[in-house]
Amino acid sequence: NASDVVVVPSVSTAKWKEQYGRVVPEAMACGNLVITSSAGSLPELVEECGIVIEEDNVDQLAQALENYVVAPFEYKEVRSKAIKRATHQLSIMKQADCYSARLQALLPETIHLK
């Protein structure tokens, strides 16, 4: 919560790709500028509410960080969008509702989760 920028520079391997992790939505909810790699589901989480760089591209990461340091005010709108997205679409309660709906769809009609 005390940071301004959170970097998630994941790199896919033959056996692993970045899955949905809480660090991105939590950073967005705190108003951080989120910089992620294009690995796995990270671009889907960030959308237009952060910066997505190519996997394993150190030069792009360095440039994104330099751009922020030089002109942090230029990212005010992106950070505001991130807070809204995290709050309305990526919150813990929203996740719980999605899981509940999916599980409910798998159960016979006679069983209901509450």
Side-chain angles (χ1 to χ4, degrees), residues 4 11 14 41 54 61 63 80 95:
D4 294 318
V11 176
S41 66
E54 294 173 21
L61 175 57
Q63 187 63 58
S80 293
Q95 283 185 355

Side-chain angles (χ1 to χ4, degrees), residues 6 8 21-29 34-36 42 45-46 86 90:
V6 171
V8 184
R22 286 301 308 163
V23 68
V24 170
E26 288 177 11
M28 290 167 62
V34 176
I35 302 172
T36 69
L42 292 173
L45 288 173
V46 174
L90 304 173

Side-chain angles (χ1 to χ4, degrees), residues 2 19 32 40 44 50 53 56 73 91 95:
Q19 301 298 310
N32 288 279
E44 295 169 44
I53 60 169
D56 210 18
F73 53 88
S91 70
Q95 283 185 355

Side-chain angles (χ1 to χ4, degrees), residues 5-82:
V5 178
V6 171
V7 179
V8 184
S10 294
V11 176
S12 300
T13 69
K15 295 182 179 185
W16 182 84
K17 285 188 180 185
E18 184 69 51
Q19 301 298 310
Y20 184 93
R22 286 301 308 163
V23 68
V24 170
E26 288 177 11
M28 290 167 62
C30 291
N32 288 279
L33 175 63
V34 176
I35 302 172
T36 69
S37 67
S38 58
S41 66
L42 292 173
E44 295 169 44
L45 288 173
V46 174
E47 291 187 350
E48 75 284 350
C49 303
I51 298 171
V52 178
I53 60 169
E54 294 173 21
E55 279 186 63
D56 210 18
N57 191 323
V58 176
D59 293 334
Q60 273 190 349
L61 175 57
Q63 187 63 58
L65 289 167
E66 182 179 332
N67 290 346
Y68 180 78
V69 169
V70 170
F73 53 88
E74 290 187 16
Y75 296 91
K76 184 177 181 179
E77 185 177 339
V78 171
R79 293 170 75 176
S80 293
K81 285 181 182 180

